[in-house]
Amino acid sequence: MKVAVAQWPIGAPARFEDFAARVESELAGAAAQGAQIAVLPEYLALELAHAFGPAVYGDLQRSLLAVDGLYADWRVLFSGLARQHRMYIVAGSFLRRQGGAFRNRALLFAPDGRVGEQDKLRLTGYEKQAGCIEPGDALKVFDTEFGRVGINICYDVEFPLFARAQAEAGAALLLVPSCTDTEAGAWRVRIGCQARALENQLPVVCAVTAGSSDWSPALDVNTGQAAVYVPPDRGLPETGVLAALDADASWLVADVDVTAVREARAIGQVGVAADWPGQLLPAVQRARLAGFESA
């Protein structure tokens, strides 16, 4: 399986059509390299706020309301591209209005144009402070022709039980659209991705926003590195990094052999995924205070 992972420089489109043209061009390039799955970053849809002018894009809540009106066009765009290129596409994330709040939602488009949705489950401090974003309440996996996949949106990958539940539901691949504005944030996501790859012994694919954008309060500074992580074990990279992009590149296209990872899981030096239930034994569910004995 060949994956295309975006390290997406934030643009400033004047119209939805300009954004669509860029996406079409970028995904056509990924498809030309043989990509079968493309992953775009978290908050990608907020780039569209620029089309509404300074009074809108300078204010997060106004941006979210304006961009929400483009949701139908967004779905049509990516559904059409998934069909055109016979490709699975994680279209970054879209802040979708749900009642009186917005949910940070990743849309996974299948090659036949159908779509699955995964909402972000845990909010960062920035999202909480915005006062208009709410967490999702359901964890999902999706069947693809390459096996079952799960999605963790950025901060969610720092919580081990989400990916574990997806792995137990059959996920053989974890897709992580991400957006971070500090080096510390980028490293937290990177460490989370590597930890989830180690614990569940599966590949983790992380897409990121890149560059700086002085017009957007949400996308002003972007850090991170597009990468594919695997468990460090027999037949796999000792660092656990299957592939990673240089800072000045925008797409990582890499071969991910899910079967090889499964084999490493079966005959590996360690069996972390299989040994996971050992943590759940009653005697070790809670730590107890122990005294010192005489030597």
Side-chain angles (χ1 to χ4, degrees):
M1 167 183 49
K2 188 164 284 190
V3 299
V5 194
Q7 190 163 283
W8 185 270
I10 296 302
R15 304 172 303 153
F16 179 86
E17 291 77 12
D18 298 331
F19 173 83
R22 179 186 174 193
V23 168
E24 289 167 0
S25 175
E26 298 277 2
L27 288 177
Q33 295 183 67
Q36 297 158 296
I37 298 177
V39 186
L40 292 156
E42 182 187 27
Y43 283 121
L44 178 66
L46 267 181
E47 190 176 294
L48 290 166
H50 188 270
F52 294 93
V56 171
Y57 66 61
D59 180 274
L60 179 61
Q61 294 199 32
R62 288 184 178 181
S63 294
L64 297 182
L65 282 169
V67 172
D68 187 66
L70 298 172
Y71 186 64
D73 294 328
W74 180 271
R75 288 177 65 115
V76 169
L77 170 65
F78 283 100
S79 178
L81 290 171
R83 286 196 302 268
Q84 178 184 344
H85 297 299
R86 300 300 302 165
M87 179 192 293
Y88 290 93
I89 302 172
V90 178
S93 76
F94 192 108
L95 275 293
R96 176 62 173 154
R97 192 171 187 181
Q98 191 102 0
F102 295 86
R103 290 196 176 185
N104 192 349
R105 177 167 296 168
L107 300 178
L108 172 62
F109 292 87
D112 61 6
R114 292 178 302 155
V115 62
E117 301 176 348
Q118 175 64 64
D119 291 342
K120 190 173 186 177
L121 301 174
R122 296 290 86 201
L123 303 185
T124 63
Y126 176 80
E127 289 168 326
K128 291 175 183 176
Q129 292 162 13
C132 58
I133 302 172
E134 67 177 15
D137 53 14
L139 184 64
K140 305 172 184 178
V141 292
F142 305 93
D143 281 325
T144 76
E145 61 188 275
F146 308 108
R148 198 161 286 178
V149 304
I151 299 172
N152 283 184
I153 303 176
C154 200
Y155 188 38
D156 284 351
V157 82
E158 298 177 35
F159 295 86
L161 297 187
F162 295 150
R164 181 64 191 181
Q166 290 166 316
E168 290 179 346
L173 179 68
L174 189 64
L175 308 175
V176 181
S178 176
C179 173
T180 55
D181 62 354
T182 66
E183 285 297 324
W187 274 104
R188 285 193 296 268
V189 171
R190 188 178 307 173
I191 291 167
C193 287
Q194 291 209 259
R196 305 298 80 84
L198 173 65
E199 293 158 357
N200 301 293
Q201 295 180 282
L202 49 69
V204 179
V205 176
C206 183
V208 301
T209 51
S212 59
S213 176
D214 58 6
W215 61 266
S216 173
L219 300 172
D220 50 348
V221 178
N222 299 276
T223 58
Q225 182 181 39
V228 179
Y229 303 101
V230 292
D233 213 317
R234 290 193 178 100
L236 300 170
E238 294 182 350
T239 62
V241 181
L242 183 69
L245 264 191
D246 295 331
D248 57 350
S250 57
W251 281 96
L252 170 64
V253 179
D255 287 307
V256 179
D257 190 341
V258 174
T259 301
V261 177
R262 283 191 182 128
E263 289 175 355
R265 180 174 179 169
I267 62 168
Q269 296 167 322
V270 294
V272 182
D275 291 337
W276 182 275
Q279 303 171 92
L280 308 179
L281 297 173
V284 297
Q285 280 288 286
R286 295 287 185 274
R288 62 183 178 85
L289 179 62
F292 293 96
E293 297 179 0
S294 298

